Amino acid sequence: MDAAEFRRRGREMVDYVADYLENIEQRPVYPDLEPGYLRSLIPTEAPVEPENYEDIIKDVERVIMPGVTHWHSPYFFAYFPAASSYPAMLADMLCGAIGCIGFSWAHSSVERAALIGGVMMRKVPTDNKYAVGGDMLKKMVEEDKAAGLIPFYFCATLGTTPSCAFDHITELGPICNKEDMWMHIDAAYAGSAFICPEFRPLLNGIEFADSFNFNPHKWLLVNFDCSAMWVKKRTDIIGAFKMEPLYLKHENQESGLVTDYRHWQIPLGRRFRSLKLWFVFRMYGLQGLQAHVRKQVALAKEFESLVRADKRFEICAEVIMGLVCFRLKGSNELNQNLLKKITKSREIHLVPCQLSGRFVLRFAICARTTESRHIQQAWRHITQLTFELLQEPNH
């Protein structure tokens, strides 16, 4: 979908939404369908090739709307209000377009979970490729057990934030299973790339995991927020979070046909995020999404080749996906000063990481619209600022 079609479809969608809300009281406020009705109406896999937008919109009425509880109907008197207004919907559209993720700090979700849970956390040292291997985990587990501690959870990563390293889950998984430790695999960024067969071997060992998540809002053309998580045994999650207040009971909850997501999480409700995935999967098709991932990997490889061709720079980690970790040969201070100049210029934006005690610059291919010319221009800008930096008296 290009900008011209987006303009046209956007106007159509605004008309559809306005018609929906103007005539909402004519729809039954509560669906009269059996749980699981969708299974026979939608395919089990995403299409290989893109589908027509008209077919998707037709399916909204054919497939989606019959199963919807219409919270904005004037006949909806349940729970409490779920606020809605035309100005808010317009702002939400703009918010999605800007796509600015509101943070200026590293997230450290695992560390925070340990603090909330009141448990000790230990970081497992990595190998020379910044990946965690089985020998080190086994050693630390044995140390903890000897100290009277009970190792119960391990978080492996496929595509780490600093260097996009891949932990050796074929080694880690059997250890976790043997020790009865929950192994979670965080593939927040790189998980989207596993739709490409050439990256699928990086998933070897996934059968040992108890849970796995990735974020389509990072690399699968779905705007923030949208995270997907799988668990091997749903009863482990539901057993921890299940609460049954009277006002949330319903006739299908014990049937086994309904997946009630309030038992899967701390918040009670959630947005209809799957609708974004449904539209994107159908409009791009598997081939279109694969092409997007492969294009960005190729752009990262292009930038890597530019860095390697300049003897003043060095590559600091293997380039597997769309991230290049590089630095000027020299001190951490030199690279810190280069990043300051890059940031002050406001032409391109990079953030750093630390690898083996060294200050390293991260160059991540992020935008859907990034092309080779942007890579070339970014490199010219970096080398120009490098030249200026090295001409300064203190360097």
Side-chain angles (χ1 to χ4, degrees):
M1 181 180 287
D2 58 17
E5 185 180 5
F6 176 70
R7 292 176 190 275
R8 179 162 57 94
R9 300 305 187 186
R11 286 189 286 267
E12 292 174 2
M13 182 59 76
V14 169
D15 285 340
Y16 180 88
V17 170
D19 290 342
Y20 166 73
L21 291 172
E22 279 191 324
N23 300 292
I24 193 170
E25 65 180 86
Q26 297 174 21
R27 296 177 183 263
V29 65
Y30 192 77
D32 182 24
L33 289 169
E34 291 296 319
Y37 85 97
L38 270 177
R39 292 188 185 278
S40 63
L41 298 178
I42 58 176
T44 57
E45 297 180 353
V48 174
E49 297 181 352
E51 296 185 358
N52 292 325
Y53 182 82
E54 288 82 359
D55 292 337
I56 299 172
I57 290 300
K58 288 176 183 176
D59 280 352
V60 170
E61 284 295 335
R62 183 183 71 89
V63 176
I64 303 298
M65 286 300 184
V68 170
T69 297
H70 298 283
W71 282 63
H72 302 303
S73 168
Y75 297 110
F76 185 91
F77 300 108
Y79 313 116
F80 282 122
S84 172
S85 68
Y86 291 120
M89 283 183 277
L90 290 175
D92 218 15
M93 186 175 181
L94 179 59
C95 177
I98 294 173
C100 180
I101 313 303
F103 71 82
S104 58
W105 55 87
H107 46 69
S108 305
S109 57
V110 177
E111 290 92 332
R112 289 184 177 183
L115 289 171
I116 292 170
V119 297
M120 294 174 58
M121 190 196 78
R122 296 185 69 191
K123 295 183 179 180
V124 184
T126 59
D127 61 20
N128 58 3
K129 289 190 175 181
Y130 309 108
V132 173
D135 290 342
M136 184 56 71
L137 176 63
K138 185 176 181 180
K139 176 177 178 290
M140 293 183 68
V141 168
E142 290 172 352
E143 291 173 353
D144 284 350
K145 290 168 68 177
L149 299 173
I150 303 173
F152 67 92
Y153 175 89
F154 174 70
C155 182
T157 306
L158 297 179
T160 60
T161 301
S163 64
C164 199
F166 291 80
D167 290 341
H168 304 289
I169 56 176
T170 53
E171 301 174 11
L172 300 164
I175 297 171
C176 292
N177 288 181
K178 180 183 177 182
E179 298 290 342
D180 198 23
M181 294 167 56
W182 182 290
M183 184 169 80
H184 174 68
I185 294 181
D186 178 358
Y189 161 67
S192 296
F194 298 145
I195 63 172
C196 300
E198 62 267 33
F199 296 123
R200 207 76 51 76
L202 293 167
L203 264 181
N204 289 346
I206 188 69
E207 65 273 12
F208 297 111
D210 296 286
S211 55
F212 172 92
N213 86 282
F214 83 108
N215 298 344
H217 67 240
K218 282 190 169 71
W219 208 6
L220 212 58
L221 297 172
V222 179
N223 59 301
F224 185 83
D225 60 334
C226 184
S227 294
M229 178 171 170
W230 288 262
V231 292
K232 184 170 286 184
K233 292 195 306 180
R234 66 172 63 190
T235 53
D236 290 331
I237 298 292
I238 296 171
F241 290 117
K242 190 168 185 177
M243 299 287 288
E244 293 287 7
L246 179 62
Y247 55 85
L248 293 178
K249 289 183 180 290
H250 55 85
E251 61 184 8
N252 294 308
Q253 63 186 24
E254 303 300 335
S255 67
L257 296 173
V258 175
T259 301
D260 200 329
Y261 288 106
R262 76 175 187 267
H263 299 317
W264 288 64
Q265 59 187 16
I266 295 174
L268 177 60
R270 57 171 61 191
R271 299 180 66 198
F272 196 178
R273 297 179 184 89
S274 57
L275 198 59
K276 296 189 288 190
L277 286 167
W278 195 55
F279 268 57
V280 169
F281 288 174
R282 295 186 66 178
M283 286 297 295
Y284 279 88
L286 179 59
Q287 289 182 347
L289 294 172
Q290 289 173 333
H292 170 68
V293 170
R294 288 167 177 154
K295 175 185 175 181
Q296 296 211 326
V297 172
L299 290 173
K301 290 292 186 181
E302 179 181 350
F303 184 79
E304 178 191 14
S305 67
L306 294 171
V307 175
R308 290 192 183 277
D310 191 321
K311 300 304 181 183
R312 298 171 298 177
F313 289 88
E314 59 183 331
I315 296 294
C316 303
E318 184 180 4
V319 179
I320 300 176
M321 299 286 183
L323 175 68
V324 181
C325 294
F326 73 107
R327 72 193 301 274
L328 267 172
K329 294 175 181 177
S331 67
N332 284 345
E333 182 184 9
L334 179 65
N335 284 277
Q336 289 168 350
N337 289 335
L338 175 58
L339 182 60
K340 287 178 183 177
K341 290 180 76 70
I342 291 172
T343 301
K344 188 176 181 180
S345 73
R346 297 191 298 171
E347 185 167 323
I348 64 173
H349 185 49
L350 307 179
V351 293
C353 67
Q354 190 175 64
L355 299 175
S356 302
R358 299 187 301 171
F359 188 90
V360 173
L361 280 64
R362 296 172 71 263
F363 189 95
I365 311 299
C366 295
R368 174 180 55 85
T369 53
T370 299
E371 301 286 350
S372 176
R373 64 184 178 89
H374 302 109
I375 302 300
Q376 297 289 333
Q377 175 58 30
W379 179 242
R380 285 193 294 269
H381 185 63
I382 291 170
T383 54
Q384 176 60 37
L385 294 178
T386 298
F387 175 78
E388 295 173 7
L389 176 64
L390 295 177
Q391 296 304 305
E392 296 174 2
N394 55 332
H395 296 298

